[in-house]
Amino acid sequence: MTPPVHASHLAQLNVATLLHPLDDPRIAPFVEMLDPVNAAADCTPGFVWRLVEDGEGDATGLRPAGEDVIVNLSVWETQEALWDFAYRSGHLEVMRRRRDWFARHVKAHLVLWWVPAGHIPTVGEALERLADLQVHGPSPRAFTFASSYTAAEAAEHLRTVPPAQPEHAAGCARPTPAGESAAV
C-alpha cells in the first residue's frame, strides 16, 4: 500500500433541517438527486470517504442531530477538491434549491476541519466540531470555506490517532457503510 499523498485530509460536516419528512412528495426532488450526486462525489478527484448508513447508499436515515435533521459527513484530500465538488458539479443544483427542502439555519450548519490522512471521523467528533464553531467561531479546530485555515495552521489541533485507511474501491464504487459504531 502506498502512503497517502497528503499528510492531512479535510473533513466536513453539514446538517440540514428538513421542512417535511423524506417520504413527503415535496421532498421527492431532493431524494431523487441523492443517488446521482453521491455517485458523483464518489468519483470526484480528491474524494476520500463519506458516511453512509449500514445497508444504504446514503446517510439520510441517520439522525444523530435530531429527528428532522439530516447529516452529511465526508473526507476530502484537499479543500479545493471539496470546493470543486460542492460548487462546480451537479451538487450545486441541490444547493440552489435547498430552501425548497430545508429550513434556514440561524447558527452555523457547515464545519470543516483537518484530520490526519487515513482518519475517519465519527459523527460524534463531527458534531463536536460543529458545536465548537457555533460557540467559539472559526478557528484552526473548526472553520468554514469563508474562514478557512491550512492544514499546517491546524496541525497543533490534530489529535494523534492511528491511521486507518478508508475503503475506496476502484471504479467509483460506493464507500463501505460506516455508521457511528463502525467508524474508526
Side-chain angles (χ1 to χ4, degrees):
M1 179 181 340
T2 59
V5 175
H6 304 279
S8 298
H9 287 160
L10 186 72
Q12 77 79 31
L13 169 76
N14 68 69
V15 297
T17 303
L18 291 162
L19 291 174
H20 311 284
L22 276 178
D23 59 358
D24 188 293
R26 293 169 285 189
I27 302 294
F30 168 74
V31 173
E32 290 166 5
M33 290 184 196
L34 283 171
D35 285 342
V37 169
N38 285 333
D42 295 348
C43 292
T44 297
F47 170 81
V48 176
W49 172 88
R50 68 180 168 87
L51 178 70
V52 296
E53 184 179 9
D54 289 337
E56 300 295 332
D58 59 50
T60 56
L62 301 174
R63 302 299 171 91
E67 189 54 38
D68 59 345
V69 179
I70 60 173
V71 298
N72 176 294
L73 174 59
S74 60
V75 177
W76 297 80
E77 288 179 354
T78 65
Q79 185 171 333
E80 294 76 19
L82 174 57
W83 177 270
D84 285 346
F85 170 70
Y87 296 101
R88 294 186 179 123
S89 76
H91 180 266
L92 185 57
E93 179 60 22
V94 176
M95 292 181 54
R96 285 184 178 132
R97 298 194 55 203
R98 68 186 178 275
R99 297 291 170 249
D100 294 345
W101 311 306
F102 306 111
R104 184 175 300 275
H105 283 271
V106 178
K107 299 186 290 186
H109 64 279
L110 167 89
V111 64
L112 308 173
W113 72 101
W114 293 101
V115 297
H119 174 68
I120 300 300
T122 65
V123 173
E125 175 186 347
L127 291 172
E128 184 277 325
R129 296 292 178 137
L130 180 60
D132 185 274
L133 177 66
Q134 291 171 339
V135 171
H136 303 291
S139 74
R141 280 195 91 253
F143 53 91
T144 66
F145 281 122
S147 60
S148 65
Y149 291 83
T150 66
E153 291 169 318
E156 66 189 65
H157 298 282
L158 293 177
R159 291 184 293 144
T160 304
V161 294
Q165 294 300 319
E167 298 287 332
H168 190 156
C172 301
R174 293 213 182 278
T176 302
E180 176 77 34
S181 61
V184 177

